[in-house]
Amino acid sequence: MNKTFAYAAMSAKAPLSPYVFERRNPREHDVAIEIKYSGICHSDIHQVREEWGKGAFPMVPGHEIAGVVTKVGAKVTRFKIGDHVGVGCFVDSCRTCEYCHEGLEQYCSVGMNGTYNSTEADGVTVTQGGYSTQIVVDENYVLRIPKNLPLDKAAPLLCAGITTYSPLAHWGAGPDKKVAVIGLGGLGHMAVKIAHAMGAHLTVLSQSMKKAEDAKRLGANEFYATSDKATFKKLKASFDLILNSVSAELDWNQYLGLLKIDGTMVLLGLPDKNVSLSAFSLVMGRRRLAGSLIGGIKETQEMLDFCAKHNIVSDIELISADKINEAFDRVLKSDVRYRFVIDCKTFSAP
Ligand SMILES: [Zn+2]
Ligand SMILES: [Zn+2]
């Protein structure tokens, strides 16, 4: 067993505090990873606060993991010691259902095994995430991070990156497409960079004009404030694809009106409450409302290779472990440009 230093929530809504636990010794197909950096995703906060249902405590969050391979099991073929690797939102799945076979493990019909607040394939052992010094994962659920990407700025690609890449790729964002993203936060800023690299014409729809300069720097072609009513008139029927990255409740009908005929709005954020939708918003323009959840292993690797080719990483604020609780508060206030990443060498014995 391997002593692992971490930060954990000891109970629901408790602030995170130093925690020590054991990781398993690598089995035949396992890769042991020294975690160098771990991103902070808004869903970490939802889960430690039990906003999405009952949690398993102590809970070590973190599913934007970047590190270096330190040990491999006897039958591992895809990785060797020293490789730069990542782990995203899940560490296993049933491997036999039609979706797992298609490389869509995130939609596994049995349910994927989450990187934390979930169980291993045995259905018993609780998984613990990336706010820690090491992790042991089956090689089939480990991603290769190309060496030209710095590990700290690459960590957020494992959730924020793939969450935006997958719908952009699936709905064909490219040179002849007009794409909009609602919200310029952790997800939104990745959507801008990736859509720009895909060659799409990209518009950011943000509450105010505050982030307009940033958006242009990140690669956006246009920027509009949604607090200005004229925006909805001006942009009526403009877009082929809209990614909604915010989890706040918005009037979806208003945004669906910004789609061209046959356009699609994809939900990435998860509002707490049900949102009301008028059938007219869809019917009048053969428009579609869709959702998208992270991406499978194959597509996540494709995203990392795409980002390496285009030199895309996240804009981050690097913090030490003792700043995690403060960072959570700032994430809730959208006071980060654009992702907090924890330097995992600052986890130590309590
Ligand atoms: Zn996430
Ligand atoms: Zn499956």
Side-chain angles (χ1 to χ4, degrees), residues 318-340:
L318 192 65
I319 60 165
S320 52
D322 59 331
K323 294 283 189 283
I324 291 173
N325 292 305
E326 194 182 312
F328 275 19
D329 291 338
R330 286 183 53 198
V331 167
L332 294 175
K333 287 186 258 175
S334 302
D335 175 25
V336 52
R337 297 206 176 171
Y338 281 90
R339 208 66 155 173
F340 285 112

mmCIF file of all heavy atoms in Angstrom, residues 318-340:
data_model
loop_
_atom_site.group_PDB
_atom_site.id
_atom_site.type_symbol
_atom_site.label_atom_id
_atom_site.label_comp_id
_atom_site.label_asym_id
_atom_site.label_seq_id
_atom_site.Cartn_x
_atom_site.Cartn_y
_atom_site.Cartn_z
ATOM 1 N N LEU A 318 -2.290 29.215 -10.088
ATOM 2 C CA LEU A 318 -1.715 28.087 -9.345
ATOM 3 C C LEU A 318 -1.754 28.386 -7.847
ATOM 4 O O LEU A 318 -1.342 29.461 -7.413
ATOM 5 C CB LEU A 318 -0.269 27.856 -9.802
ATOM 6 C CG LEU A 318 0.389 26.557 -9.348
ATOM 7 C CD1 LEU A 318 -0.296 25.335 -9.960
ATOM 8 C CD2 LEU A 318 1.880 26.553 -9.706
ATOM 9 N N ILE A 319 -2.272 27.443 -7.067
ATOM 10 C CA ILE A 319 -2.373 27.659 -5.616
ATOM 11 C C ILE A 319 -1.752 26.488 -4.846
ATOM 12 O O ILE A 319 -1.573 25.404 -5.386
ATOM 13 C CB ILE A 319 -3.848 27.825 -5.152
ATOM 14 C CG1 ILE A 319 -4.664 26.569 -5.480
ATOM 15 C CG2 ILE A 319 -4.483 29.059 -5.783
ATOM 16 C CD1 ILE A 319 -6.005 26.504 -4.758
ATOM 17 N N SER A 320 -1.475 26.737 -3.569
ATOM 18 C CA SER A 320 -1.010 25.664 -2.697
ATOM 19 C C SER A 320 -2.222 25.051 -1.982
ATOM 20 O O SER A 320 -3.310 25.643 -1.957
ATOM 21 C CB SER A 320 0.006 26.209 -1.693
ATOM 22 O OG SER A 320 -0.539 27.330 -1.031
ATOM 23 N N ALA A 321 -2.026 23.885 -1.394
ATOM 24 C CA ALA A 321 -3.127 23.127 -0.791
ATOM 25 C C ALA A 321 -3.900 23.949 0.259
ATOM 26 O O ALA A 321 -5.132 23.860 0.327
ATOM 27 C CB ALA A 321 -2.586 21.856 -0.151
ATOM 28 N N ASP A 322 -3.182 24.742 1.039
ATOM 29 C CA ASP A 322 -3.863 25.488 2.113
ATOM 30 C C ASP A 322 -4.799 26.591 1.585
ATOM 31 O O ASP A 322 -5.516 27.219 2.352
ATOM 32 C CB ASP A 322 -2.831 26.077 3.093
ATOM 33 C CG ASP A 322 -1.854 27.007 2.392
ATOM 34 O OD1 ASP A 322 -1.589 26.804 1.191
ATOM 35 O OD2 ASP A 322 -1.350 27.946 3.033
ATOM 36 N N LYS A 323 -4.799 26.803 0.283
ATOM 37 C CA LYS A 323 -5.676 27.834 -0.302
ATOM 38 C C LYS A 323 -6.934 27.233 -0.950
ATOM 39 O O LYS A 323 -7.713 27.952 -1.584
ATOM 40 C CB LYS A 323 -4.905 28.635 -1.368
ATOM 41 C CG LYS A 323 -3.750 29.468 -0.808
ATOM 42 C CD LYS A 323 -4.277 30.728 -0.130
ATOM 43 C CE LYS A 323 -3.181 31.703 0.247
ATOM 44 N NZ LYS A 323 -2.425 31.292 1.457
ATOM 45 N N ILE A 324 -7.123 25.920 -0.811
ATOM 46 C CA ILE A 324 -8.244 25.266 -1.508
ATOM 47 C C ILE A 324 -9.605 25.829 -1.074
ATOM 48 O O ILE A 324 -10.461 26.124 -1.915
ATOM 49 C CB ILE A 324 -8.207 23.732 -1.286
ATOM 50 C CG1 ILE A 324 -7.003 23.122 -2.021
ATOM 51 C CG2 ILE A 324 -9.503 23.078 -1.778
ATOM 52 C CD1 ILE A 324 -6.772 21.642 -1.727
ATOM 53 N N ASN A 325 -9.803 25.983 0.237
ATOM 54 C CA ASN A 325 -11.126 26.461 0.694
ATOM 55 C C ASN A 325 -11.414 27.882 0.210
ATOM 56 O O ASN A 325 -12.535 28.205 -0.170
ATOM 57 C CB ASN A 325 -11.217 26.366 2.223
ATOM 58 C CG ASN A 325 -11.225 24.916 2.682
ATOM 59 O OD1 ASN A 325 -12.069 24.129 2.241
ATOM 60 N ND2 ASN A 325 -10.273 24.548 3.518
ATOM 61 N N GLU A 326 -10.370 28.699 0.229
ATOM 62 C CA GLU A 326 -10.497 30.067 -0.286
ATOM 63 C C GLU A 326 -10.822 30.030 -1.793
ATOM 64 O O GLU A 326 -11.668 30.792 -2.277
ATOM 65 C CB GLU A 326 -9.152 30.763 -0.053
ATOM 66 C CG GLU A 326 -9.143 32.250 -0.189
ATOM 67 C CD GLU A 326 -7.708 32.774 0.025
ATOM 68 O OE1 GLU A 326 -7.044 32.367 1.019
ATOM 69 O OE2 GLU A 326 -7.260 33.566 -0.813
ATOM 70 N N ALA A 327 -10.166 29.117 -2.492
ATOM 71 C CA ALA A 327 -10.411 28.987 -3.937
ATOM 72 C C ALA A 327 -11.863 28.572 -4.198
ATOM 73 O O ALA A 327 -12.498 29.081 -5.126
ATOM 74 C CB ALA A 327 -9.449 27.977 -4.545
ATOM 75 N N PHE A 328 -12.393 27.658 -3.383
ATOM 76 C CA PHE A 328 -13.799 27.251 -3.546
ATOM 77 C C PHE A 328 -14.715 28.477 -3.461
ATOM 78 O O PHE A 328 -15.617 28.651 -4.277
ATOM 79 C CB PHE A 328 -14.202 26.248 -2.455
ATOM 80 C CG PHE A 328 -13.868 24.803 -2.777
ATOM 81 C CD1 PHE A 328 -12.936 24.483 -3.750
ATOM 82 C CD2 PHE A 328 -14.499 23.765 -2.101
ATOM 83 C CE1 PHE A 328 -12.634 23.150 -4.053
ATOM 84 C CE2 PHE A 328 -14.214 22.432 -2.396
ATOM 85 C CZ PHE A 328 -13.277 22.128 -3.359
ATOM 86 N N ASP A 329 -14.478 29.323 -2.449
ATOM 87 C CA ASP A 329 -15.305 30.532 -2.301
ATOM 88 C C ASP A 329 -15.201 31.426 -3.524
ATOM 89 O O ASP A 329 -16.187 31.992 -3.985
ATOM 90 C CB ASP A 329 -14.879 31.326 -1.050
ATOM 91 C CG ASP A 329 -15.233 30.591 0.231
ATOM 92 O OD1 ASP A 329 -16.143 29.723 0.178
ATOM 93 O OD2 ASP A 329 -14.590 30.856 1.273
ATOM 94 N N ARG A 330 -13.983 31.532 -4.027
ATOM 95 C CA ARG A 330 -13.791 32.404 -5.203
ATOM 96 C C ARG A 330 -14.409 31.808 -6.467
ATOM 97 O O ARG A 330 -14.915 32.553 -7.310
ATOM 98 C CB ARG A 330 -12.296 32.703 -5.396
ATOM 99 C CG ARG A 330 -11.771 33.697 -4.341
ATOM 100 C CD ARG A 330 -10.316 34.048 -4.571
ATOM 101 N NE ARG A 330 -10.075 34.515 -5.935
ATOM 102 C CZ ARG A 330 -8.868 34.559 -6.509
ATOM 103 N NH1 ARG A 330 -7.794 34.155 -5.831
ATOM 104 N NH2 ARG A 330 -8.736 35.004 -7.735
ATOM 105 N N VAL A 331 -14.403 30.478 -6.599
ATOM 106 C CA VAL A 331 -15.061 29.843 -7.752
ATOM 107 C C VAL A 331 -16.554 30.177 -7.727
ATOM 108 O O VAL A 331 -17.146 30.506 -8.751
ATOM 109 C CB VAL A 331 -14.857 28.303 -7.744
ATOM 110 C CG1 VAL A 331 -15.786 27.622 -8.749
ATOM 111 C CG2 VAL A 331 -13.400 27.950 -8.052
ATOM 112 N N LEU A 332 -17.143 30.125 -6.535
ATOM 113 C CA LEU A 332 -18.582 30.403 -6.416
ATOM 114 C C LEU A 332 -18.910 31.843 -6.796
ATOM 115 O O LEU A 332 -20.014 32.150 -7.226
ATOM 116 C CB LEU A 332 -19.065 30.104 -4.990
ATOM 117 C CG LEU A 332 -19.000 28.620 -4.596
ATOM 118 C CD1 LEU A 332 -19.381 28.424 -3.144
ATOM 119 C CD2 LEU A 332 -19.890 27.769 -5.504
ATOM 120 N N LYS A 333 -17.922 32.731 -6.648
ATOM 121 C CA LYS A 333 -18.124 34.139 -7.030
ATOM 122 C C LYS A 333 -17.615 34.416 -8.448
ATOM 123 O O LYS A 333 -17.528 35.572 -8.855
ATOM 124 C CB LYS A 333 -17.380 35.053 -6.041
ATOM 125 C CG LYS A 333 -18.057 35.142 -4.674
ATOM 126 C CD LYS A 333 -17.371 36.176 -3.797
ATOM 127 C CE LYS A 333 -16.469 35.489 -2.802
ATOM 128 N NZ LYS A 333 -15.648 36.310 -1.957
ATOM 129 N N SER A 334 -17.269 33.365 -9.180
ATOM 130 C CA SER A 334 -16.671 33.493 -10.525
ATOM 131 C C SER A 334 -15.445 34.399 -10.503
ATOM 132 O O SER A 334 -15.159 35.094 -11.477
ATOM 133 C CB SER A 334 -17.685 34.054 -11.528
ATOM 134 O OG SER A 334 -18.814 33.232 -11.575
ATOM 135 N N ASP A 335 -14.726 34.382 -9.392
ATOM 136 C CA ASP A 335 -13.552 35.239 -9.242
ATOM 137 C C ASP A 335 -12.273 34.454 -9.532
ATOM 138 O O ASP A 335 -11.427 34.275 -8.674
ATOM 139 C CB ASP A 335 -13.548 35.807 -7.804
ATOM 140 C CG ASP A 335 -12.305 36.624 -7.511
ATOM 141 O OD1 ASP A 335 -11.699 37.155 -8.469
ATOM 142 O OD2 ASP A 335 -11.936 36.713 -6.320
ATOM 143 N N VAL A 336 -12.164 33.947 -10.758
ATOM 144 C CA VAL A 336 -10.938 33.254 -11.156
ATOM 145 C C VAL A 336 -10.811 33.351 -12.672
ATOM 146 O O VAL A 336 -11.798 33.228 -13.391
ATOM 147 C CB VAL A 336 -10.942 31.772 -10.704
ATOM 148 C CG1 VAL A 336 -12.202 31.044 -11.131
ATOM 149 C CG2 VAL A 336 -9.695 31.040 -11.200
ATOM 150 N N ARG A 337 -9.585 33.589 -13.128
ATOM 151 C CA ARG A 337 -9.356 33.638 -14.577
ATOM 152 C C ARG A 337 -8.272 32.628 -14.922
ATOM 153 O O ARG A 337 -7.109 32.943 -14.813
ATOM 154 C CB ARG A 337 -9.000 35.053 -15.019
ATOM 155 C CG ARG A 337 -10.175 35.979 -14.747
ATOM 156 C CD ARG A 337 -10.195 37.148 -15.645
ATOM 157 N NE ARG A 337 -11.417 37.933 -15.370
ATOM 158 C CZ ARG A 337 -11.651 39.126 -15.875
ATOM 159 N NH1 ARG A 337 -10.777 39.688 -16.671
ATOM 160 N NH2 ARG A 337 -12.754 39.771 -15.605
ATOM 161 N N TYR A 338 -8.623 31.398 -15.390
ATOM 162 C CA TYR A 338 -9.993 30.922 -15.476
ATOM 163 C C TYR A 338 -10.155 29.599 -14.747
ATOM 164 O O TYR A 338 -11.236 29.060 -14.692
ATOM 165 C CB TYR A 338 -10.397 30.791 -16.957
ATOM 166 C CG TYR A 338 -10.740 32.160 -17.542
ATOM 167 C CD1 TYR A 338 -9.774 32.938 -18.143
ATOM 168 C CD2 TYR A 338 -12.025 32.683 -17.387
ATOM 169 C CE1 TYR A 338 -10.102 34.203 -18.617
ATOM 170 C CE2 TYR A 338 -12.346 33.937 -17.870
ATOM 171 C CZ TYR A 338 -11.379 34.694 -18.475
ATOM 172 O OH TYR A 338 -11.694 35.951 -18.934
ATOM 173 N N ARG A 339 -9.064 29.081 -14.198
ATOM 174 C CA ARG A 339 -9.135 27.826 -13.470
ATOM 175 C C ARG A 339 -8.103 27.825 -12.352
ATOM 176 O O ARG A 339 -6.939 28.176 -12.587
ATOM 177 C CB ARG A 339 -8.805 26.679 -14.431
ATOM 178 C CG ARG A 339 -9.425 25.333 -14.096
ATOM 179 C CD ARG A 339 -10.901 25.349 -14.208
ATOM 180 N NE ARG A 339 -11.493 24.034 -14.460
ATOM 181 C CZ ARG A 339 -12.803 23.831 -14.454
ATOM 182 N NH1 ARG A 339 -13.640 24.819 -14.225
ATOM 183 N NH2 ARG A 339 -13.288 22.627 -14.676
ATOM 184 N N PHE A 340 -8.523 27.415 -11.144
ATOM 185 C CA PHE A 340 -7.542 27.176 -10.089
ATOM 186 C C PHE A 340 -6.923 25.807 -10.292
ATOM 187 O O PHE A 340 -7.624 24.836 -10.597
ATOM 188 C CB PHE A 340 -8.213 27.193 -8.710
ATOM 189 C CG PHE A 340 -8.572 28.564 -8.225
ATOM 190 C CD1 PHE A 340 -9.897 28.946 -8.092
ATOM 191 C CD2 PHE A 340 -7.573 29.479 -7.886
ATOM 192 C CE1 PHE A 340 -10.233 30.215 -7.645
ATOM 193 C CE2 PHE A 340 -7.904 30.752 -7.435
ATOM 194 C CZ PHE A 340 -9.232 31.121 -7.315
#
